[in-house]
Amino acid sequence: MQPKFIFSNIIGTFVFSEQFTIFDKILFRNIEEYKNKGKAEVILKNKYKNLKDPEKKELMRMLSVFNSKEFFPDFHRKSIELTKERIKLSVKDDLLVIQAIDSIEENNKVVNLLTRRLREWYSHYNPEFSRYVSDNEKFIELLMGKKDKKTEESMGADLSRENMEPIIDLIKQIDSQYKLRGRQEQYLEKLMKKNCPNLTAVAGVTIGAKLIEHANSLKHLAELPASVIQLLGAEKALFRHMKTGAKSPKYGILHEHPLISQAKKSEHGKTARALADKIAIAARIDYFKGKFIGDQLRKELEIKLKK
Amino acid sequence: MQPKFIFSNIIGTFVFSEQFTIFDKILFRNIEEYKNKGKAEVILKNKYKNLKDPEKKELMRMLSVFNSKEFFPDFHRKSIELTKERIKLSVKDDLLVIQAIDSIEENNKVVNLLTRRLREWYSHYNPEFSRYVSDNEKFIELLMGKKDKKTEESMGADLSRENMEPIIDLIKQIDSQYKLRGRQEQYLEKLMKKNCPNLTAVAGVTIGAKLIEHANSLKHLAELPASVIQLLGAEKALFRHMKTGAKSPKYGILHEHPLISQAKKSEHGKTARALADKIAIAARIDYFKGKFIGDQLRKELEIKLKK
């Protein structure tokens, strides 16, 4: 029996004979040694000359050896260990960006739901004031500051202190929900500026985060062509266009961008296209940890659109 | 010209001649005097003998007098004043019951929405713990008590303090949302026991409040026959039954009642019918402010169902 093949897996580095039996081996004690498997291979290659890497067909025969009682438990344990470590390391900042932007959007839903209820409840007491302030956040702010004077002619009922308490309780809850959203927005801004400064400079915090969320990761966003980025978030309209021949959408998430909302209606398409171009560049620079040229990208974009 | 008719409206009490012109009048200075219009009528009836209340045809001719510059502005102003007062008084406790139960149900939605987000976010840090505790309220309670030890082999990432903060922030928000719901439930219970003690004794706080909410008021609930109460909240299934001949529903809101959930499946229909009977009685007693016999009703029901 001659040593012929060399092969490493998570358990160790093995030298196989021509008959596919194990001729020699160096076992790894932990994942660290597996990561430095090159060392073991060098040792064995020096010990036995002319070792070959196995071809696919040869490899298949060698692998069956590990399906034995001797190796399998170790193999199983170490695989899981390795998987766990990889999962651990897979939590990158863009996952946190996605959590934060999703949470902010849900917070918006929550404050709207709670404020709608509050308005109905509160209007038994002071309907005129509720109708007077239509902005929800402003409404809560004024209530918190006790600036909701009831007029003499109010149609509202005189609620007892006992019946006012739950209303005030709800006001406070909504106020704290607004404050939470504020803190989450600050956190998201920090995260975005740190991880994707270029994207943030060109697209803005919220739109940038939504793009990452739609693309599932910064990596995937960086791989997308500008034309896809332009339409991210407009999938429904796009499929409608493809199926029924309705007008094709000009933009998805990007429609909230100030450059688009400030542009003339006839320039919307052109603006969205130029914006998506720069966003694609910015996302790639950020993914590959390039330098910050966000301000420059933004300026180029503004000049281009002025023409 | 002889005085012939007497007629009161919100402006005053008037004596009309046979030719339908105003012969004499006592004007009201405010709503209070209108409410005591009987006094003015007595004075005028003593002054002129044999005054008649007008017939419908006569009344029509008299009313046109008030469509003049002299009376209309006052008429308009006082009508609005009266309407406002009536609206004010229409805010009864059952309206507050409806607000409270609706708010509690929305709170449930909110905590579920926020906890779902939290679980996803938190599981980047400690996925094993999140999966270990499936009850949402318990989950938040343990997190608040910092009982979420991370195991050595956890797959979760090691998040920096900065990235943990927004997660902890969200935990606290959900906790305060749960506490708000608790206080609202206490408030609702107080309200129900005060306003509809019999209904509460038979149906329980939540189901009683939901019945009032579905019927729009305690008054309307008291007017409903037991068979309708039995199916309140099962409108969809009922219409499906009527349209397609699918099985008729046995209960709507009542299905959460412990007497039904504890009964054998074959007894569900009978139990719901008996329960709805007693609820109808209880609601009527409560609406007409009768004595408390809730415990007795409940006992009768239990005896009946044991047979």
Side-chain angles (χ1 to χ4, degrees):
Chain A
M1 268 203 316
Q2 289 294 311
K4 184 155 181 206
F5 304 111
I6 183 159
F7 167 69
S8 294
N9 64 15
I10 202 166
I11 310 177
T13 298
F14 297 86
V15 175
F16 278 82
S17 71
E18 263 172 297
Q19 283 76 39
F20 305 107
T21 54
I22 292 172
F23 189 86
D24 199 356
K25 65 189 173 208
I26 298 179
L27 293 178
F28 303 141
R29 276 160 302 178
N30 50 43
I31 299 281
E32 277 318 299
E33 290 192 2
Y34 165 64
K35 285 185 190 157
N36 299 314
K37 62 185 177 196
K39 274 190 204 168
E41 284 173 5
V42 166
I43 294 172
L44 289 172
K45 276 181 179 163
N46 285 336
K47 197 165 163 192
Y48 310 100
K49 298 295 166 191
N50 300 324
L51 287 176
K52 288 206 308 175
D53 286 332
E55 299 284 314
K56 196 177 170 192
K57 234 169 72 187
E58 295 150 2
L59 189 62
M60 293 306 287
R61 297 196 56 184
M62 284 156 56
L63 284 178
S64 63
V65 170
F66 297 103
N67 213 348
S68 67
K69 268 193 188 158
E70 188 187 352
F71 294 113
F72 191 73
D74 196 31
F75 193 80
H76 185 249
R77 190 179 54 75
K78 278 192 177 147
S79 290
I80 286 186
E81 213 171 296
L82 193 68
T83 309
K84 278 188 179 172
E85 192 183 304
R86 292 216 175 128
I87 288 177
K88 208 165 178 162
L89 293 175
S90 73
V91 179
K92 300 230 179 66
D93 279 354
D94 47 357
L95 274 183
L96 299 176
V97 165
I98 293 172
Q99 295 298 339
I101 186 74
D102 280 350
S103 187
I104 289 169
E105 301 216 312
E106 283 162 10
N107 258 329
N108 280 333
K109 267 189 222 158
V110 166
V111 287
N112 286 335
L113 183 70
L114 295 181
T115 312
R116 202 159 5 132
R117 165 66 39 216
L118 174 69
R119 277 182 187 272
E120 208 182 303
W121 202 340
Y122 177 84
S123 69
H124 292 318
Y125 164 68
N126 191 355
E128 293 82 4
F129 184 75
S130 175
R131 220 171 313 135
Y132 174 68
V133 192
S134 62
D135 179 72
N136 280 349
E137 196 163 0
K138 187 80 193 162
F139 180 59
I140 299 297
E141 194 191 310
L142 290 171
L143 288 177
M144 284 299 286
K146 304 219 162 105
K147 299 233 166 76
D148 58 324
K149 278 273 167 291
K150 205 171 166 180
T151 55
E152 275 276 321
E153 318 93 61
S154 172
M155 280 185 255
D158 301 314
L159 294 183
S160 68
R161 207 180 56 86
E162 232 179 4
N163 287 327
M164 279 306 288
E165 255 171 23
I167 298 179
I168 294 168
D169 213 2
L170 188 56
I171 295 171
K172 285 183 188 156
Q173 185 69 21
I174 298 173
D175 182 59
S176 90
Q177 195 77 31
Y178 270 118
K179 284 184 179 140
L180 175 73
R181 193 187 65 178
R183 289 192 300 274
Q184 287 183 338
E185 282 167 348
Q186 278 171 16
Y187 169 68
L188 179 65
E189 187 173 344
K190 246 202 255 170
L191 216 51
M192 288 292 289
K193 283 192 171 156
K194 192 180 130 210
N195 290 288
C196 14
N198 291 296
L199 177 62
T200 308
V202 178
V205 174
T206 311
I207 295 177
K210 280 187 190 170
L211 288 171
I212 293 177
E213 196 247 314
H214 257 76
N216 275 326
S217 66
L218 179 59
K219 178 170 182 287
H220 190 211
L221 183 64
E223 290 165 356
L224 291 178
S227 56
V228 173
I229 292 178
Q230 189 186 336
L231 294 184
L232 271 185
E235 290 77 8
K236 237 173 144 177
L238 183 64
F239 284 116
R240 193 169 49 230
H241 162 64
M242 281 158 47
K243 256 175 98 172
T244 70
K247 264 190 182 175
S248 70
K250 294 197 194 74
Y251 31 68
I253 295 168
L254 296 190
H255 86 275
E256 296 163 26
H257 196 282
L259 280 177
I260 289 187
S261 52
Q262 282 159 23
K264 273 182 285 177
K265 189 122 206 263
S266 61
E267 310 257 290
H268 275 189
K270 182 186 149 197
T271 312
R273 211 156 51 239
L275 180 60
D277 275 347
K278 294 296 179 193
I279 286 177
I281 296 170
R284 283 162 208 179
I285 299 174
D286 285 335
Y287 179 65
F288 292 108
K289 307 270 171 220
K291 267 191 288 183
F292 177 69
I293 58 159
D295 289 341
Q296 191 191 319
L297 285 173
R298 178 105 194 201
K299 214 171 281 168
E300 283 170 21
L301 183 61
E302 275 159 16
I303 291 168
K304 189 174 176 188
L305 290 175
K306 260 189 204 143
K307 275 178 198 164
Chain B
M1 272 203 314
Q2 288 294 311
K4 184 157 182 202
F5 304 112
I6 184 160
F7 168 68
S8 293
N9 66 16
I10 201 167
I11 311 177
T13 298
F14 297 86
V15 175
F16 278 81
S17 69
E18 261 173 296
Q19 284 75 37
F20 304 108
T21 55
I22 294 172
F23 190 87
D24 199 355
K25 65 190 173 207
I26 297 177
L27 294 178
F28 303 141
R29 273 160 305 178
N30 52 44
I31 300 280
E32 278 318 299
E33 289 193 3
Y34 166 63
K35 285 182 188 157
N36 300 314
K37 62 184 176 197
K39 273 189 203 166
E41 283 170 8
V42 167
I43 293 172
L44 287 173
K45 275 181 182 162
N46 286 337
K47 199 166 160 190
Y48 310 99
K49 297 296 166 191
N50 300 322
L51 287 175
K52 291 204 307 176
D53 286 332
E55 301 283 314
K56 196 179 168 191
K57 232 168 72 186
E58 293 150 1
L59 188 63
M60 293 306 286
R61 297 195 57 184
M62 284 156 58
L63 283 178
S64 61
V65 169
F66 297 103
N67 214 348
S68 66
K69 268 193 190 160
E70 189 187 349
F71 293 113
F72 191 73
D74 195 34
F75 193 80
H76 185 249
R77 190 179 54 75
K78 278 191 177 149
S79 289
I80 287 185
E81 213 172 295
L82 192 70
T83 309
K84 278 187 177 174
E85 192 183 304
R86 291 217 174 125
I87 289 177
K88 208 165 179 163
L89 293 174
S90 73
V91 178
K92 300 229 180 64
D93 278 355
D94 47 357
L95 274 182
L96 299 174
V97 165
I98 294 173
Q99 294 299 337
I101 186 73
D102 280 349
S103 188
I104 289 169
E105 301 217 310
E106 282 161 12
N107 257 330
N108 280 333
K109 268 191 222 158
V110 166
V111 289
N112 286 335
L113 182 70
L114 295 180
T115 312
R116 200 159 7 131
R117 164 67 37 215
L118 175 70
R119 276 183 188 272
E120 208 183 302
W121 201 342
Y122 177 85
S123 70
H124 292 317
Y125 164 70
N126 190 356
E128 294 81 4
F129 184 75
S130 174
R131 220 171 313 134
Y132 173 66
V133 191
S134 62
D135 180 71
N136 281 348
E137 197 163 359
K138 186 84 193 156
F139 181 59
I140 298 296
E141 194 190 310
L142 290 171
L143 288 177
M144 282 300 287
K146 302 220 162 100
K147 300 232 166 77
D148 57 324
K149 277 273 166 291
K150 206 171 164 180
T151 56
E152 275 277 319
E153 318 94 60
S154 172
M155 281 185 252
D158 302 313
L159 293 184
S160 67
R161 206 180 55 87
E162 229 178 7
N163 287 327
M164 279 306 288
E165 255 171 23
I167 298 179
I168 295 168
D169 212 3
L170 188 56
I171 295 171
K172 286 183 189 157
Q173 185 70 22
I174 298 172
D175 182 59
S176 89
Q177 195 77 32
Y178 270 118
K179 285 186 179 139
L180 175 73
R181 193 187 64 176
R183 289 192 300 275
Q184 287 183 337
E185 281 167 348
Q186 278 172 17
Y187 169 67
L188 180 64
E189 188 174 343
K190 244 202 259 171
L191 216 50
M192 288 292 289
K193 283 191 173 156
K194 192 181 129 210
N195 291 288
C196 13
N198 290 296
L199 177 62
T200 308
V202 178
V205 174
T206 310
I207 294 177
K210 280 187 190 170
L211 288 171
I212 293 178
E213 196 246 315
H214 257 74
N216 276 324
S217 64
L218 178 59
K219 177 170 183 287
H220 191 210
L221 183 65
E223 289 165 357
L224 291 177
S227 56
V228 173
I229 292 177
Q230 189 184 338
L231 294 183
L232 270 185
E235 289 77 8
K236 238 173 142 175
L238 183 64
F239 284 116
R240 194 169 49 230
H241 161 64
M242 282 159 44
K243 256 175 98 172
T244 71
K247 262 191 182 176
S248 70
K250 294 197 194 76
Y251 31 67
I253 295 168
L254 297 189
H255 86 276
E256 295 163 26
H257 196 282
L259 279 177
I260 290 187
S261 53
Q262 283 160 21
K264 275 184 284 179
K265 190 122 204 268
S266 60
E267 309 256 290
H268 274 189
K270 181 187 150 198
T271 312
R273 211 156 49 240
L275 180 60
D277 276 347
K278 294 295 179 194
I279 286 177
I281 295 170
R284 284 163 208 178
I285 298 173
D286 284 335
Y287 179 65
F288 292 108
K289 307 272 172 215
K291 265 191 289 181
F292 178 70
I293 58 160
D295 289 342
Q296 191 191 322
L297 285 173
R298 178 106 194 198
K299 215 171 280 166
E300 282 170 23
L301 183 62
E302 276 159 15
I303 291 167
K304 186 172 177 188
L305 291 174
K306 257 187 207 144
K307 275 178 198 162

